[in-house]
Amino acid sequence: MSLDYKTVACSHITLSQLMLPSHSNFSGKIHGGYLLSLMDQIAFACGSKFSGKYCVTASVDRVDFLSPIEVGELVTLNASVNFVGTSSMVVGIRVEAQNIQTGQIKHCNSSYFTMIAKDAETGKPVAVPRLILRSKEEVMRYLKAAERIELRKQKPASAEPFAGCLEQAVCEIRQHFDAKVELVI
């Protein structure tokens, strides 16, 4: 079975939205959950555009909120496919906010969503097109995504520290962290 090849540019999506008071949290800044929802939407659109299939979110790599977003700012999310597996795609997302009165733009967030392409009838994962990389930036993003995937495989998130040895875990905490261990047995 031969798969199609597509350029990264075929996956580019941009979404811009004015931040309203209804999007804010109790401190008056844009709620992180609202921003995550927008990121999930653009990841879906990007993956679906690239694969031509319905996509679901499989995982989200680290999300750091670098700068708060204010009510009245124009938020722009840019997304593109950085890496493809058999049925998966790593979608890179960059979030920027612009003060529309001053024109000042700030980088607020970058994250990576892993999307899985699904068959509409069976719901099973289906193959996605391969990537054509056309710039140094695209090559580096592809390799960084592959590196993050490999690191996840090396140490499963569910593995217990020190193979579950309580004595070693307590020793580690006492030597390197500012916490008290008061075990109740």
Side-chain angles (χ1 to χ4, degrees):
M1 172 182 175
S2 105
L3 292 172
D4 291 336
Y5 283 79
K6 289 186 175 181
T7 64
V8 172
C10 290
S11 71
H12 285 187
I13 296 273
T14 298
L15 170 69
S16 292
Q17 188 167 355
L18 183 65
M19 295 295 104
L20 304 175
S22 61
H23 304 140
S24 67
N25 59 24
F26 294 112
S27 69
K29 308 297 183 197
I30 299 308
H31 195 285
Y34 181 72
L35 185 59
L36 286 170
S37 175
L38 290 176
M39 294 170 73
D40 193 49
Q41 289 175 42
I42 199 168
F44 167 82
C46 181
S48 294
K49 178 183 178 186
F50 182 78
S51 68
K53 304 291 181 187
Y54 177 77
C55 291
V56 296
T57 306
S59 70
V60 180
D61 279 351
R62 188 179 175 121
V63 178
D64 291 320
F65 295 95
L66 306 173
S67 183
I69 300 172
E70 307 289 336
V71 170
E73 290 185 323
L74 181 66
V75 168
T76 300
L77 298 92
N78 287 294
S80 63
V81 171
N82 292 350
F83 180 89
V84 295
T86 304
S87 61
S88 65
M89 297 156 283
V90 174
V91 175
I93 302 169
R94 181 179 172 94
V95 180
E96 296 178 335
Q98 180 179 22
N99 180 315
I100 55 178
Q101 294 172 334
T102 66
Q104 181 180 0
I105 296 173
K106 59 187 173 186
H107 176 212
C108 299
N109 183 297
S110 288
S111 191
Y112 305 95
F113 280 56
T114 300
M115 307 301 290
I116 305 294
K118 300 276 190 156
D119 181 85
E121 293 177 18
T122 67
K124 295 190 184 289
V126 294
V128 298
R130 310 289 85 205
L131 270 178
I132 299 171
L133 306 171
R134 290 196 166 155
S135 70
K136 178 181 179 182
E137 183 179 39
E138 290 173 359
V139 168
M140 294 304 161
R141 286 179 178 169
Y142 187 94
L143 291 174
K144 287 296 287 180
E147 181 180 357
R148 284 190 304 275
I149 291 166
E150 198 54 42
L151 286 172
R152 263 197 321 263
K153 289 178 183 177
Q154 288 177 12
K155 184 177 181 186
S158 62
E160 279 196 274
F162 303 103
C165 177
L166 182 59
E167 293 81 19
Q168 284 183 319
V170 169
C171 184
E172 176 74 9
I173 289 169
R174 287 184 177 146
Q175 287 180 1
H176 302 285
F177 299 98
D178 185 15
K180 282 187 179 180
V181 179
E182 296 177 352
L183 299 173
V184 180
I185 299 176

